[in-house]
């Protein structure tokens, strides 16, 4: 039994390792230990128990794990893999890995080994990864544990291949130290809650899975130019930069033809993604010059989150090969579009029903309305927590700025559904000829035809026909946190819904459909203020939203507070997603992250001002001053010297103001650095340090416009943005 899998593997001819694929079908998922590979490399019993575990989350026995390890290793080694790693998503927001070789010396020979234990669990010395105080560094005990629901894959680098095993990262006392563990909990919680509600409509549904399709926006810049900008290197965004004469005002970049050099890059990373089973389907130019987007076909949410993390790694790496740098920062360039990551989210049953797809008969309609209204209520009740889950120093520059949803959380549903919900709320009677119970008029509308062209780009959460699209997520952010919050909010809401409906059926002896509609009507009344169809970019909305009592949390330190509010702690601990300690830890990690990011930006502003901007200004001042003296010496009249004098005055004015303001910001930074309380420190960084940046930039950008181009050492927007 023990070596059965190995025998099976060895009986096959070694796979020809090649990058020469003739069709996409051949290439697709060739680096994934997917169902087909499992069937080939595992014996029947092992395969069956692995599949059961993937489907129902049942525990895998040691014996089975050993068998899987043997098969997986054989599969990987046939493809030229030498090392393996547990691949996880620590609270840094990126991915982490520590490679171990399959090979072990055995006397004079090297033998390959990969045990079931090594597959299932590892203990990386991860004491340097953030834990928010959950794990003291002297007892740096955290371990990674295999997540069989996301398949293992081979990551190819130029000089080697690594078998990557997706894992969660938890402390020995059970606290989550990563983004995946709570996401997985929220998925199974939502499955159970949605399943219970599904029974009102479809009793054959056994599983409900949230789905996610991620649209990823990014900028590309030439790597040589990137390397000349300390701000891009250290912060991922430009801290200075006078607007190019032509940027996005002509609207000629969006959906425009893709420059050849960019196209080659896209094809290259898409192929790499396809090999990893990331189903990329869409590519296009975005609104700003140098800005692009790609999107895969939606997948089960855990896989989609992993794939997006992996995709960003790939895009970064492949960009190198093409002399590019991919920028995932939410706002790399001032005064232009920022980048987002639209999270298209829905709920799918194992019977193939999209629960957020409007129905074409009364029953599916009632089911649709149930999940639709519950999503609205869930989003309404947890809007602050959702805002917290998308908060970051970089996203602060995007929310409420050019072409980005505002920091006010609202929902767009389009005109058809607005009307449907009005009818529901007002209990509009059934149309003539309807047959069933007259009180459930709304459910008798036989078909809800949603006008799919009814789009609103300004909304942070928009219904787009058969899914909700959370657009407020920043382009650099992992989708895991916002999706975990959305799943949990929805699960919590569906649990309440079931209780409310059952109560009406039980005590009031109401009919099921009537009870459902009655409860939904109540929810609509409580949450409809969050529905907003207008222009989210306008100032009027800021005022109106305030009148409606909706939050507008403009900066990260204030947005993050929702992580530790009483209601969050109550909900998260009741549902078993997070303990209060875990939430507090995450809150502190995010605050620290904010402080560090703004701190680095402050330092780079200081650095670039003193070593690049002011020296250029001073040199130009000297040229101008020498010129004035020379002109005077040559006997020129005052009027003829005026131009030089005026420019000199202007340059000096901005240089002096720049220096004064940078010095003031540095002082504020030093003061903030001395604070011990990270909450206060983050607030100080926001209101005293970050608050100075725009003003400082104003003077630096004026200097860029005035100073002799040959003296300016920082690549300009016009050079960065227009890729040839
Ligand atoms: P756009 O929003 O730009 O018009 P699409 O509507 O085609 O683009 O899709 C955007 C993303 O939404 C894609 O990744 C797509 O796979 C995903 N999507 C489509 N249907 C669903 C669904 N039921 N659940 C989750 N995502 C979905
Ligand atoms: Mg979209």
């Amino acid at each position: 039994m023990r070596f059965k899998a190995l025998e099976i593997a060895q009986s096959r001819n070694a796979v020809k390792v090649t990058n020469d694929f003739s069709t996409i079908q051949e290439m697709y998922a060739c680096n994934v230990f997917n169902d087909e590979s499992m069937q080939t490399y595992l014996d029947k019993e092992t395969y069956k128990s692995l599949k059961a575990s993937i489907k129902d989350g049942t525990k895998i026995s040691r014996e089975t794990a050993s068998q899987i390890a043997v098969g997986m290793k054989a599969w990987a080694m046939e493809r030229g893999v030498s090392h393996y790693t547990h691949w996880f998503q620590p609270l840094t927001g990126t991915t982490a890995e520590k490679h171990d070789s399959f090979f072990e010396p055995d006397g004079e020979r090297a033998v390959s080994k990969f045990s079931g234990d090594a597959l299932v669990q590892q203990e990386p010395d991860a004491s340097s990864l953030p834990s928010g105080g959950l794990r003291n560094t002297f007892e740096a005990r955290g371990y990674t544990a295999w997540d069989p629901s996301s398949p293992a894959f081979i990551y190819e680098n130029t000089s080697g291949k690594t078998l990557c095993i997706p894992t969660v990262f938890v402390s020995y006392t059970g606290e989550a130290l990563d983004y995946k563990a709570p996401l997985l909990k929220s998925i199974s919680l939502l499955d159970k809650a949605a399943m219970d509600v599904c029974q009102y409509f479809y009793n054959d549904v056994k599983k409900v899975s949230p789905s996610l399709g991620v649209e990823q926006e990014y900028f590309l810049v030439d790597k040589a130019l990137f390397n000349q900008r300390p701000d891009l290197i250290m912060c991922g965004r430009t801290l200075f930069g006078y607007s190019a004469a032509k940027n996005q005002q002509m609207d000629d970049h969006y959906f425009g033809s893709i420059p050849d050099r960019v196209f080659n890059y896209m094809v290259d990373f898409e192929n790499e993604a396809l090999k990893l089973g990331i189903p990329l389907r869409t590519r296009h130019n975005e609104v700003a010059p140098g800005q692009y987007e790609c999107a895969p076909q939606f997948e089960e949410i855990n896989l989609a989150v992993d794939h997006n993390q992996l995709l960003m790694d790939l895009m970064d790496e492949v960009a190198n090969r093409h002399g590019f740098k991919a920028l995932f920062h939410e706002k790399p360039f001032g005064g232009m579009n920022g980048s987002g990551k639209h999270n298209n989210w829905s709920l799918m049953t194992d019977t193939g029903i999209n629960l957020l797809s409007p129905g074409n008969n009364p029953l599916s309609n009632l089911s649709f309305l149930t999940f639709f209204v519950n999503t609205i209520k869930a989003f309404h009740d947890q809007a602050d927590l959702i805002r917290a889950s998308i908060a970051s120093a970089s996203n602060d520059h995007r929310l409420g700025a050019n072409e980005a949803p505002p920091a006010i959380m609202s929902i767009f549903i389009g005109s058809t559904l607005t009307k449907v919900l009005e009818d529901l709320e007002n209990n509009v009677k059934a149309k003539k000829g309807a047959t069933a119970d007259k009180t459930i008029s709304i459910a008798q509308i036989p078909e809800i035809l949603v006008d799919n062209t009814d789009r609103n780009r300004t909304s942070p959460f928009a219904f787009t026909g058969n899914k909700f699209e959370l657009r407020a997520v920043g382009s650099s952010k992992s989708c895991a946190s916002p999706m975990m919050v959305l799943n949990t909010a929805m699960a919590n809401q569906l649990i309440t819904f079931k209780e409310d409906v059952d109560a009406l059926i039980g005590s009031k002896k109401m009919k099921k459909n009537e009870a459902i509609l009655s409860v939904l009507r109540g929810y609509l009344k409580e949450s409809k203020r969050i529905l907003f169809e207008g222009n989210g970019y306008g100032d009027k909305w800021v005022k109106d939203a305030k009148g409606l009592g909706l939050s507008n949390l403009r900066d990260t330190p204030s947005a993050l507070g929702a992580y530790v509010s009483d209601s969050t702690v109550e909900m998260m601990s009741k549902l078993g997603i997070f303990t209060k300690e875990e939430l507090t830890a995450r809150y502190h990690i995010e605050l620290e992250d904010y402080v560090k990011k703004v701190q680095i930006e402050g330092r780079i502003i200081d650095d670039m001002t003193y070593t690049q901007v002011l020296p250029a200004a001073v040199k130009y001042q000297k040229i101008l001053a020498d010129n004035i003296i020379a002109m005077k010496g040559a006997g020129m009249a005052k009027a003829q010297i005026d131009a030089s004098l005026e420019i000199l005055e202007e340059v000096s004015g901005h240089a002096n103001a720049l220096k004064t303001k940078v010095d003031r910001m540095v002082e504020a930074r030093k003061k903030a650095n001395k604070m011990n309380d990270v909450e206060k420190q983050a607030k100080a960084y926001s209101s005293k340090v970050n608050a100075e940046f725009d003003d400082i930039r104003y003077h630096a950008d004026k200097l860029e416009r005035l100073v002799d181009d040959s003296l300016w050492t920082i690549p300009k927007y016009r050079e960065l943005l227009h890729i040839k």
Side-chain angles (χ1 to χ4, degrees):
M1 175 73 189
R2 253 190 103 64
F3 293 109
K4 209 162 151 194
L6 184 59
E7 280 158 27
I8 293 173
Q10 284 174 340
S11 70
R12 293 167 36 89
N13 290 331
V15 173
K16 204 170 99 214
V17 181
T18 172
N19 272 335
D20 202 5
F21 303 97
S22 47
T23 60
I24 291 187
Q25 283 87 334
E26 220 177 282
M27 178 161 61
Y28 187 66
C30 68
N31 280 339
V32 184
F33 193 61
N34 57 8
D35 196 69
E36 195 187 325
S37 321
M38 286 176 200
Q39 293 202 45
T40 315
Y41 287 85
L42 304 178
D43 63 85
K44 263 215 179 80
E45 260 169 73
T46 309
Y47 170 74
K48 267 211 302 230
S49 27
L50 176 54
K51 286 301 275 187
S53 153
I54 294 169
K55 194 165 155 278
D56 315 318
T58 47
K59 222 170 140 54
I60 290 172
S61 71
R62 262 170 176 261
E63 172 67 9
T64 310
S66 303
Q67 289 296 316
I68 298 169
V70 171
M72 208 185 264
K73 188 188 79 175
W75 169 78
M77 287 185 66
E78 280 182 22
R79 283 156 182 78
V81 172
S82 59
H83 287 64
Y84 67 92
T85 180
H86 275 197
W87 182 78
F88 59 106
Q89 297 161 30
L91 297 171
T92 52
T94 53
T95 58
E97 48 199 271
K98 175 185 151 245
H99 299 188
D100 283 302
S101 174
F102 282 136
F103 290 97
E104 260 180 38
D106 180 21
E108 291 183 346
R109 295 178 326 132
V111 292
S112 68
K113 279 196 182 150
F114 181 51
S115 66
D117 289 349
L119 165 67
V120 170
Q121 188 171 324
Q122 276 197 344
E123 199 174 322
D125 177 16
S127 50
S128 300
L129 293 169
S131 78
L134 282 176
R135 185 171 40 92
N136 293 326
T137 37
F138 58 86
E139 44 169 345
R141 307 262 293 168
Y143 67 92
T144 49
W146 181 31
D147 164 24
S149 64
S150 181
F153 56 89
I154 296 171
Y155 197 90
E156 294 180 83
N157 290 88
T158 348
S159 51
K161 297 183 180 188
T162 312
L163 171 67
C164 297
I165 299 150
T167 56
V168 293
F169 180 39
V170 284
S171 77
Y172 263 92
T173 37
E175 288 98 355
L177 298 171
D178 72 347
Y179 286 114
K180 192 191 254 280
L183 177 70
L184 289 175
K185 284 186 189 174
S186 77
I187 293 169
S188 64
L189 184 76
L190 180 53
D191 173 18
K192 165 97 187 42
M195 259 265 295
D196 286 349
V197 171
C198 264
Q199 303 311 309
Y200 289 138
F201 314 105
Y202 319 100
N203 44 27
D204 55 340
V205 169
K206 298 276 180 310
K207 190 178 170 73
V208 177
S209 310
S211 55
L212 172 64
V214 187
E215 297 165 67
Q216 176 73 52
E217 294 179 335
Y218 61 101
F219 277 87
L220 279 183
V221 291
D222 188 277
K223 204 168 164 213
L225 296 174
F226 170 90
N227 281 333
Q228 290 172 54
R229 291 210 53 141
D231 49 1
L232 279 181
I233 297 173
M234 304 290 176
C235 316
R237 76 170 177 119
T238 57
L239 297 165
F240 298 132
Y242 187 73
S243 296
K246 177 175 185 292
N247 50 47
Q248 64 190 49
Q249 69 271 56
M250 309 284 289
D251 285 331
D252 55 354
H253 192 256
Y254 191 55
F255 285 174
S257 69
I258 300 170
D260 211 35
R261 193 178 155 202
V262 175
F263 185 82
N264 292 342
Y265 162 67
M266 288 176 169
V267 171
D268 203 2
F269 84 69
E270 282 168 12
N271 285 346
E272 293 300 332
L274 290 175
K275 286 199 237 166
L276 287 168
I278 303 171
L280 278 186
R281 294 192 56 194
T282 308
R283 59 168 99 105
H284 60 81
N285 282 2
E286 259 302 326
V287 176
Q291 194 187 26
Y292 306 92
E293 178 183 306
C294 61
Q297 167 82 21
F298 71 92
E299 297 175 281
E300 184 280 317
I301 202 163
N302 176 38
L303 195 57
V305 170
D306 281 1
H307 278 169
N308 180 253
Q309 288 296 110
L310 199 51
L311 178 66
M312 289 202 290
D313 288 347
L314 276 180
M315 288 169 72
D316 193 39
E317 199 185 295
V318 175
N320 261 325
R321 306 208 282 253
H322 291 258
F324 282 134
K325 185 74 196 171
L327 303 177
F328 294 111
H329 193 287
E330 283 74 1
K331 197 79 177 173
F333 300 101
M336 292 195 325
N337 256 34
S339 296
K341 182 180 301 213
H342 298 177
N343 282 213
N344 294 271
W345 175 90
S346 189
L347 294 173
M348 315 290 283
T349 70
D350 59 343
T351 53
I353 299 167
N354 177 352
L355 294 171
L356 286 172
S357 191
N360 52 13
N361 62 59
L363 181 73
S364 59
N365 245 335
L366 188 59
S367 157
F368 163 69
L369 282 174
T370 295
F371 286 96
F372 183 64
V373 173
N374 273 294
T375 310
I376 293 172
K377 178 80 162 65
F379 190 88
H380 170 270
D381 290 0
Q382 300 302 333
D384 284 354
L385 185 56
I386 285 167
R387 170 69 184 93
S389 74
I390 54 151
S392 69
S394 47
N395 211 13
D396 280 358
H397 296 285
R398 172 175 167 263
L399 297 179
N402 256 1
E403 289 270 332
I408 308 159
M409 294 294 110
S410 69
I411 309 178
F412 171 87
I413 58 169
S415 52
T416 317
L417 286 163
T418 301
K419 175 81 178 61
V420 169
L421 291 193
E422 271 166 16
D423 286 354
L424 168 63
E425 197 189 340
N426 301 325
N427 203 5
V428 170
K429 289 282 175 257
K431 289 199 181 81
K432 250 187 150 176
T435 44
D437 185 343
K438 289 281 180 289
T439 55
I440 56 161
S441 58
I442 198 81
Q444 290 166 350
I445 298 173
E447 191 162 7
I448 300 176
L449 288 174
V450 177
D451 180 4
N452 207 22
T453 57
D454 200 2
R455 293 292 180 105
N456 181 332
R457 289 173 59 89
T458 68
S459 179
F461 195 55
F463 185 72
T464 49
N466 58 0
K467 60 193 186 290
F468 276 97
E469 186 170 329
L470 184 61
R471 303 206 184 108
V473 186
S475 48
S476 69
K477 178 100 180 166
S478 158
C479 308
S481 274
M483 289 301 99
M484 175 274 295
V485 168
L486 191 56
N487 290 343
T488 307
M490 185 63 170
N492 187 46
Q493 177 53 41
L494 290 173
I495 292 168
T496 309
F497 172 75
K498 177 95 173 50
E499 287 165 3
D500 289 349
V501 171
D502 287 352
L504 286 186
I505 296 172
S507 63
K508 301 256 169 67
K509 303 271 177 287
M510 234 186 231
K511 281 193 185 136
K512 185 183 79 188
N513 290 0
E514 202 185 322
I516 290 171
L517 284 167
S518 160
V519 171
L520 292 180
R521 210 168 279 134
Y523 289 171
L524 258 186
K525 287 200 167 67
E526 288 161 24
S527 55
K528 67 176 178 191
R529 63 177 180 157
I530 203 149
L531 300 176
F532 175 61
E533 301 288 303
N535 176 16
Y537 295 170
D539 291 335
K540 183 171 180 299
W541 174 227
V542 176
K543 249 190 249 142
D544 292 352
K546 198 169 174 196
L548 289 167
L550 299 176
S551 308
N552 183 8
L553 300 161
R554 291 296 301 265
D555 72 341
T556 292
S558 38
L560 289 175
Y563 269 132
V564 286
S565 70
D566 289 346
S567 67
T568 302
V569 171
E570 204 232 71
M571 176 178 77
M572 289 292 184
S573 50
K574 177 186 80 187
L575 298 174
I577 304 283
F578 283 129
T579 60
K580 186 175 180 186
E581 290 67 34
E582 286 173 305
L583 284 166
T584 310
R586 255 152 230 258
Y587 175 55
H588 284 156
I589 289 169
E590 298 268 358
L591 285 174
E592 274 164 24
D593 182 73
Y594 178 83
V595 167
K596 283 179 198 153
K597 295 233 164 88
V598 181
Q599 188 178 54
I600 293 169
E601 292 191 344
R603 284 185 181 147
I604 299 291
I605 287 176
D606 181 18
D607 184 324
M608 288 176 74
T609 298
Y610 273 93
T611 65
Q612 294 186 285
V613 179
L614 286 178
V618 168
K619 280 182 201 153
Y620 192 44
Q621 280 171 341
K622 178 148 181 1
I623 292 174
L624 291 166
D626 286 351
N627 182 45
I628 292 163
I629 293 166
M631 283 170 92
K632 272 189 185 159
M636 301 290 255
K638 185 180 170 308
Q640 286 159 314
I641 305 171
D642 269 357
S644 293
L645 250 164
E646 270 171 33
I647 299 174
L648 180 59
E649 269 169 22
E650 246 189 282
V651 170
S652 302
H654 287 302
N656 289 336
L658 177 63
K659 182 182 177 305
T660 310
K661 287 175 181 173
V662 167
D663 290 350
R664 193 168 70 197
M665 180 272 289
V666 171
E667 278 316 305
R669 211 181 71 219
K670 285 184 180 155
K671 227 166 125 188
N673 288 346
K674 292 208 181 83
M675 296 177 175
N676 293 323
D677 177 346
V678 68
E679 236 171 14
K680 289 205 182 101
Q681 195 177 40
K683 290 223 155 77
Y685 258 100
S686 172
S687 64
K688 297 282 185 315
V689 181
N690 189 61
E692 299 277 359
F693 290 177
D694 282 350
D695 212 11
I696 291 172
R697 177 180 183 144
Y698 170 80
H699 297 290
D701 290 358
K702 285 286 178 197
L703 287 171
E704 181 182 329
R705 195 187 74 87
L706 290 166
V707 169
D708 177 356
D709 190 52
S710 65
L711 297 174
W712 202 258
T713 57
I714 309 166
K716 296 183 172 180
Y717 274 23
R718 64 165 186 253
E719 293 150 341
L720 288 164
L721 286 167
H722 298 283
I723 291 171
K724 288 282 164 330

